[in-house]
Amino acid sequence: IPVFILAGLLVHFVFLVSIFDIYFSSPLVHGMTPQQTPLPPPAKRLVLFVADGLRADSLYELSSNNTSQAPYLRGILENNGSWGISHTRVPTESRPGHVALIAGFYEDVSAVAKGWKENPVEFDSVFNESKYTWSWGSPDILPMFAKGATGDHVYTFCYTAESEDFGAEDATKLDTWVFDHVKSFFNSSRSNQTLFSALNEDKVVLFLHLLGIDTNGHAHRPNSREYKENIRKVDEGVKEITSMIENFYGNDGKTAFILTSDHGMTDWGSHGAGHPSETLTPLIVWGAGVNYPQKVTSQFFEDNFLKGSWNCLKMGMLLFAQADIAPLMASLIGVPFPLNSVGTLPLEYLNNSAHFKAESIFTNAVQILEQFKVKMSQKKETTLPFLFSPFKPLSDSEQINFLKKTRLYIQQQKYDEAVSLCKTLINLALEGLSYYHTYDRLFLGLSIAMSFVGWTTYVILVIIKTHTNLTSTVQTNNKKSTVLFYSFAFVGMVITFFLLIQTCPWTYYIYCLLPVPVWYAVVRELSVIQDLAANLLSLHISQSIGFLLVCTLGIEILVFSFFYRSALTIGLLVFAVWPVITQLWVQAKTTALIWALLCVLLAIFPLMPVVGREPNIPLVIAAGLLTLLISCFSLASLCKRENKYRNNEDMKVHFYQMLNIALSTYVVSSTHDSLKNKQGLPVLNQIISWMTLVSSSVLPLLGPTFLFQRLFSILLSMMSTYLLLSTGYEALFPLVLFGLMFVWIHMEQEALQHYDLSRKPKLAVFNFAYATDITQFRQLHLDDIRRSFFFVFFIVTAFFGTGNIASVNSFDPASVYCFLTVFSPFTMGGLLLLKVVIPFVLVSCAFEAVQVTTQLSSKSLFLLVLVISDIMALHFFFLVKDYGSWLDIGTSISHYVLVMSLTIFMMLMNGLAQLLTTKRLELSRRTKHHTT
């Protein structure tokens, strides 16, 4: 079994990682020559303000009394400069956003693993190409551009990481810190000749990273007074800095200013996915070389989200991609375009001659074409000549033709034609880059799909062979199996040779060779396949088709629930009438009625709004008190028990757990009040929270291993941690879910009797510790497929029922404020993951109880679960997208990662549930020994 589980984990890990290689690998290439516009630039220096987490609508929309949140910036876009909306890409995080702004390319998802802090790949940026760059702001963002720069000309000034505190009294101090340091920097330069002369050079960039808005958005939501107040503070700061810089340079008219944002934010204060509130960011450009506002009578909005109250802006709004800002900055100060930039220069922003615009876009086109050439030569080198199929629209002759024509148009002063031709060339070069970047996708995708199908088939065959009576044991022919082994080994060698002569990356070997051992394992079980076919043919056709239809419908409902949470409600309502359909209610009316009631109660949760949008602390406190009430009843029933099923140590453990619940309820309430009054997170509360977290994993192991006592002990322990991580109605969810799990165990007993599969054990005295007697296990029955489906359904409900949506942005940082408020992506991510895992643990422990009470080996039921989840995962593998709206891309990645993680998780949960239910620490026995 351990070998099988290890192989399963390994195979699923490959499946999970594969999409990042197949769909989201790094687009970067190296070895291009820098391209620079030959004409003198309009600006000597550039000031870039990035207001982290600023939504476009928050900046542009007017408040209820028709005033702007940012009057100075409003005045600029109406009188002095150009404005627009930039589209960011998924994942909408700070690091990829800044890389797109400053380096001009969209980073691959692998940067997540670095916590958005280090450079997984080296890249060029506008800062690197400048003569000097001075930057002020967050230690999470600035160092990566200094680290990637050649030479020593990018200087950073950062505050401490501890300053990024979501529970702080006032997050605007992060922005005030930046503005104050910029002012003192310029003041000190008057008495420092070296610095003064450096500041007066050409090609200088000043970068102000303003994190206050993002921090306030996370802590208080974007519609809060604090968020809006922070926008006003930034507006005042930008006004002061602009005026100071203009005065410093004697109003020479050679400074360009850009204000933008790296990403937006959802209404509930998170970002990372592809909702328009996260992907639409503002851009305002003014100063040297920038166009003045263009009056328009009405705006055209391609996106419904944009149709706010911005129509009152009668200035021309421009829509473009976030990566287009890098070439714009390079063009304004005359530095080479960043080597890896895929942005197209937005000419509408430039206030310059037609000649300058034509030369600039020509430089842009050549720079992107350079990347295309490198990408093509790389792919050519690693592909056999007879297999290589080039990108036909940009053959070598076509490239020369484009460049000659454009150069001729510029010489003949036909600038509009030159610009039009350059834009065509840029689009073709970007298409070509994408073509070569995704060149191996179909081939790799088919390999993974073959592995998927092979693995699922193999698991089905293992189930049939070892856990059913459908097959007769046949001795394998050694000669045949040797021939089979050598045949598959030969196929593996051919594939390896094929990959070797093409010098493919090492990951390709894993993806392409994985189907070989998997299918070898399937073909080895040929006798099982023959027996199965014979058995299926002996059944009634209508029975077989009906059974397959029910299975398919069940799996499709699960897949559907990832898109529409309400599908779970429909599923739970069907579950409620299951005892009636199968006539189970006849023998257990009360149990069936409680089952139906709890199914209906649980069915309400998927219809509730997504968690975190509106915190509701009274509900969390109510859940805590309800848990205490239930545990009091449990304690009372424990006291009434016969002495042989009870001892004082068990009572003590139960009492400690009740104390934990009471403390958790108090901590949630007092932490919320403290943060509301802007007093930060109290240290005592933080200590209690962490101690509760640690103790909750140990306490269940100290109690008895009787079925209901141990399960209830696990509920109390998990609940104490879950309360600390709750912000609203989701605190009630584990209680309802666990109530249903309790009844599920009883219902399965009734089902067991109904189908005469085995005798009914006494649940009240059932002990987990003695439930692993291998001789008692029975073979699988058709009804066990339904059991496994129930488990998968409950696992999916455990995820979506608490209001999570199938997306990375459904996790609310407010959930972890009892533990920490200072930004720490890995700790916060770990705690949010724990919140998701707790309902999983409850369902897994109940499933463990169902397994042992229905006398099934955990392996047999678990294999059925694996088949169901793998079929779901295969659906999502083909649904992964890297095109279309950012929302589609983000959601498709989230879906696949979630369903693959669920499968890997369920393997781990299976082991954890066994540990939690069957193990008992010896601590209490020793104590008992001393007392006698």
Side-chain angles (χ1 to χ4, degrees), residues 628-647 651 654 658 708-709 712 742 764:
L628 276 176
L629 189 68
I630 295 167
S631 49
C632 284
F633 280 120
S634 167
L635 196 65
S637 71
L638 203 65
C639 292
K640 285 178 193 166
R641 281 269 180 91
E642 295 172 46
N643 280 339
K644 93 176 182 191
Y645 299 127
R646 150 192 140 206
N647 64 45
M651 304 291 270
H654 195 96
M658 285 174 68
F708 288 124
Q709 276 175 269
F712 193 71
F742 259 55

Side-chain angles (χ1 to χ4, degrees), residues 624-625 628 656-668 720 723:
L625 295 174
L628 276 176
Y656 286 143
Q657 289 181 316
M658 285 174 68
L659 186 68
N660 266 353
I661 296 280
L663 277 173
S664 295
T665 312
Y666 163 74
V667 167
V668 169
S720 57
L723 286 169

Side-chain angles (χ1 to χ4, degrees), residues 45-50 127 130 132-136 182 185-186 199 203-209 241 244-245 248-249 255-258 329 333:
R45 65 203 74 88
L46 175 103
V47 184
L48 171 66
F49 301 96
V50 176
F127 295 176
S130 68
Y132 293 107
T133 293
W134 286 277
S135 54
W136 296 265
V182 175
F185 172 78
F186 273 90
L199 277 167
K203 301 175 183 175
V204 164
V205 178
L206 302 164
F207 170 42
L208 286 73
H209 176 242
I241 297 294
M244 181 202 69
I245 288 173
F248 181 86
Y249 290 108
T255 312
F257 297 91
I258 292 181
M329 293 194 285
I333 56 171

Side-chain angles (χ1 to χ4, degrees), residues 585-751:
W585 70 282
V586 178
Q587 66 195 61
K589 290 188 174 65
T590 317
T591 315
L593 186 66
I594 299 169
W595 164 266
L597 275 172
L598 284 168
C599 279
V600 172
L601 256 181
L602 195 64
I604 297 167
F605 284 92
L607 300 174
M608 303 282 267
V610 170
V611 155
R613 297 196 175 177
E614 277 308 315
N616 190 335
I617 301 301
L619 269 180
V620 182
I621 295 165
L625 295 174
L626 186 62
T627 312
L628 276 176
L629 189 68
I630 295 167
S631 49
C632 284
F633 280 120
S634 167
L635 196 65
S637 71
L638 203 65
C639 292
K640 285 178 193 166
R641 281 269 180 91
E642 295 172 46
N643 280 339
K644 93 176 182 191
Y645 299 127
R646 150 192 140 206
N647 64 45
N648 290 337
E649 297 305 323
D650 298 347
M651 304 291 270
K652 276 183 196 170
V653 171
H654 195 96
F655 187 71
Y656 286 143
Q657 289 181 316
M658 285 174 68
L659 186 68
N660 266 353
I661 296 280
L663 277 173
S664 295
T665 312
Y666 163 74
V667 167
V668 169
S669 174
S670 87
T671 302
H672 183 71
D673 291 341
S674 176
L675 292 176
K676 212 175 183 180
N677 301 329
K678 301 203 169 157
Q679 291 166 346
L681 168 62
V683 179
L684 180 66
N685 288 10
Q686 197 172 10
I687 293 166
I688 293 172
S689 297
W690 284 106
M691 282 175 70
T692 304
L693 177 67
V694 173
S695 67
S696 67
S697 55
V698 181
L699 281 174
L701 301 176
L702 298 172
T705 51
F706 291 113
L707 188 113
F708 288 124
Q709 276 175 269
R710 176 54 67 97
L711 288 180
F712 193 71
S713 177
I714 291 166
L715 170 69
L716 289 184
S717 288
M718 296 296 160
M719 203 57 198
S720 57
T721 306
Y722 199 81
L723 286 169
L724 294 170
L725 292 166
S726 297
T727 58
Y729 72 84
E730 82 271 26
L732 294 163
F733 180 75
L735 286 176
V736 180
L737 180 71
F738 208 65
L740 185 63
M741 294 299 98
F742 259 55
V743 183
W744 182 35
I745 296 165
H746 280 290
M747 286 302 291
E748 289 300 355
Q749 289 306 302
E750 301 302 337

Side-chain angles (χ1 to χ4, degrees), residues 793-910:
F793 192 93
F794 288 138
I795 281 279
V796 174
T797 308
F799 183 78
F800 293 115
T802 52
N804 296 315
I805 45 178
S807 158
V808 271
N809 75 5
S810 66
F811 305 116
D812 177 20
S815 300
V816 302
Y817 289 170
C818 287
F819 293 90
L820 77 164
T821 53
V822 175
F823 180 66
S824 166
F826 286 119
T827 315
M828 286 182 161
L831 287 166
L832 289 169
L833 192 63
L834 178 69
K835 184 180 177 180
V836 173
V837 168
I838 286 171
F840 286 177
V841 174
L842 298 179
V843 175
S844 298
C845 290
F847 188 55
E848 180 66 23
V850 166
Q851 285 171 7
V852 294
T853 56
T854 56
Q855 293 172 352
L856 272 175
S857 72
S858 57
K859 186 185 171 190
S860 59
L861 271 191
F862 182 70
L863 290 177
L864 285 172
V865 167
L866 205 55
V867 172
I868 296 168
S869 51
D870 278 344
I871 295 169
M872 280 168 64
L874 192 58
H875 274 75
F876 291 117
F877 180 76
F878 289 112
L879 290 171
V880 172
K881 289 180 182 175
D882 67 339
Y883 58 87
S885 79
W886 306 148
L887 185 60
D888 293 346
I889 298 168
T891 309
S892 72
I893 303 169
S894 296
H895 282 168
Y896 183 72
V897 171
L898 279 173
V899 80
M900 282 313 303
S901 306
L902 276 182
T903 312
I904 294 171
F905 241 41
M906 284 192 287
M907 289 186 178
L908 300 172
M909 285 293 128
N910 194 37

